[in-house]
Amino acid sequence: MTRPPTLEVLPEAVAANVVGVRARTRGVVMAVVKADGYGHGAVAVAEAAVAAGAGWLGTTSVAEGSLLRASGLAVPILAWLHPSGIDAEAAAVSRVDVAVGSVDELGALLAQAPVGVRIHLYVDTGMSRGGCPRGQWDELVGLALRGQEARRVRVVGVMGHLPLADWADPAANASAVGWMREARRVVRAAGLGRPIAHLAATSGALTDPATHFGMVRVGAGLVGIDPSGTVEMQGASRLTAPIVHTAEVPAGTAVGYAGTYVTERVTHLSVLPVGYADGIPRECSPQAGVEICGRRFPVAGRVSMDQIVVDTGAESFPVGTSATLFGPDGGATPTVQDWARWAGTIPHTIVTGIGPRVKRSIG
Ligand SMILES: *Cc1c(COP(=O)(O)O)cnc(C)c1O
């Protein structure tokens, strides 16, 4: 039996990336493992990050946070998006903190049974996607204070989010930093103590200490993606697939749907059993390639739903030979960043797009 298409997750790379971020901040590192750890497996990434010194975990939903808690992770966990409202009971039982971004959201939380949920007040620092508008901040803080006095909630954090998440430009963050400071001042002045403040994601963590406050929330950076494009991180996964079919074909052979690729000479074709249903971008350019036995070979023709064809030229590889679509290895092996460039997208969409048919293994 040959090894099926596999995404090998590399915990040492995650650990090295956490160490790299920690060297750049005096704040605590929150490891953000939403979208199943950016496609790498939330628990595996979280465990590696915590072992390397991440002090918190972050997820989108309480349900994702509860899964981490259930797998034995003991550090504080924060969830910041509640599509069907905050389930206070679930948050309390799993000890998952929740971000609260509006007066309505906090009102609905306080109306539930008094279970003592830990909350982070979320101010809109310029994104207009989440968080409390500045004009309602005083009201939100006042309501939180009453909720805390009634022991229904405990305010443990104040957060914002940088809109320019992929810019290495401190000046561009200045207004968000200013709003964050002001939001924190209002919270302190209200008598809510000194909850931990956090604003930066990977880019801010790597490039702008003014955004760090007490904690930085790092997701992309854990798996080797620096959205600011300024720091070399370690890729944390390797995608491989076996050759399942080969053929020697004459010059002038059309390959794949619509015959967009026509061989120029006698050549060898190898078929890999991964396609766009597995997250191989159909829109990738003719530069796209894979590594086989230490050499780079081009993807020939269109990406199909379940397969791609590789033109290996004069080389003929036996069925079962492993091809590497991406990995941290360098040389002939493409990176996630290469695939993002070939597909005209960002590395995030490549790693989060790898489908469920691809087996996961921990390297
Ligand atoms: C996704 C996310 C992060 C992490 O962003 P990266 O750029 O991937 O590090 C941090 N905070 C919030 C609110 C997020 O949604």
Side-chain angles (χ1 to χ4, degrees):
M1 285 284 287
T2 53
R3 185 157 104 141
T6 301
L7 186 76
E8 188 187 352
V9 179
L10 307 168
E12 305 96 273
V14 174
N17 291 330
V18 170
V19 169
V21 173
R22 288 182 72 203
R24 288 167 187 268
T25 183
R26 279 182 287 166
V28 177
V29 174
M30 173 190 285
V32 177
V33 294
K34 62 192 183 188
D36 199 23
Y38 293 53
H40 290 62
V43 172
V45 173
E47 284 175 348
V50 168
W56 283 64
L57 293 168
T59 59
T60 306
S61 67
V62 170
E64 289 171 307
S66 300
L67 283 175
L68 297 174
R69 189 63 83 213
S71 77
L73 287 149
V75 301
I77 300 173
L78 169 65
W80 50 74
L81 195 69
H82 319 293
S84 46
I86 297 170
D87 182 342
E89 191 71 36
V93 167
S94 297
R95 288 176 291 117
V96 173
D97 297 4
V98 293
V100 176
S102 72
V103 171
D104 286 352
E105 201 168 40
L106 181 53
L109 176 60
L110 292 173
Q112 297 178 50
V115 286
V117 176
R118 291 173 24 124
I119 65 173
H120 297 233
L121 297 175
Y122 187 179
V123 65
D124 181 359
T125 47
M127 187 103 159
S128 307
R129 183 190 73 175
C132 179
R134 289 142 204 180
Q136 290 160 29
W137 187 247
D138 288 350
E139 196 187 341
L140 180 65
V141 170
L143 187 60
L145 181 64
R146 291 196 295 283
Q148 178 155 305
E149 283 167 353
R151 297 182 183 279
R152 296 182 158 220
V153 292
R154 194 145 72 82
V155 178
V156 299
V158 179
M159 71 181 281
H161 193 40
L162 290 175
L164 304 173
D166 55 359
W167 285 27
D169 179 6
N173 295 325
S175 112
V177 169
W179 274 109
M180 192 66 200
R181 291 205 179 113
E182 173 61 13
R184 184 180 60 174
R185 188 193 64 71
V186 171
V187 167
R188 288 178 180 175
L192 282 165
R194 299 172 74 88
I196 192 165
H198 46 106
L199 172 67
T202 298
S203 179
L206 293 176
T207 65
D208 185 2
T211 64
H212 290 187
F213 292 88
M215 180 157 68
V216 296
R217 303 184 306 264
V218 176
L222 297 178
V223 298
I225 298 168
D226 168 21
S228 74
T230 57
V231 178
E232 198 63 31
M233 316 286 284
Q234 291 191 25
S237 58
R238 183 182 290 119
L239 177 63
T240 59
I243 295 172
V244 291
H245 175 76
T246 61
E248 185 182 300
V249 298
T253 302
V255 180
Y257 285 119
T260 56
Y261 184 92
V262 179
T263 59
E264 283 172 2
R265 59 189 78 81
V266 175
T267 192
H268 294 88
L269 302 176
S270 288
V271 178
L272 304 179
V274 284
Y276 59 79
D278 304 296
I280 310 305
R282 187 177 178 280
E283 47 287 336
C284 63
S285 71
Q287 278 72 48
V290 307
E291 179 270 337
I292 304 172
C293 297
R295 289 180 56 195
R296 176 86 60 92
F297 297 103
V299 173
R302 290 206 179 143
V303 173
S304 299
M305 186 181 290
D306 309 314
Q307 300 165 63
I308 56 174
V309 181
V310 178
D311 185 342
T312 62
E315 300 283 342
S316 161
F317 298 102
V319 164
T321 305
S322 180
T324 304
L325 287 98
F326 61 72
D329 319 84
T333 305
T335 59
V336 168
Q337 284 75 9
D338 288 329
W339 278 96
R341 206 176 57 253
W342 294 332
T345 183
I346 55 175
H348 311 55
T349 72
I350 303 295
V351 290
T352 57
I354 302 304
R357 290 193 301 205
V358 175
K359 192 174 162 286
R360 265 60 176 179
S361 83
I362 298 184

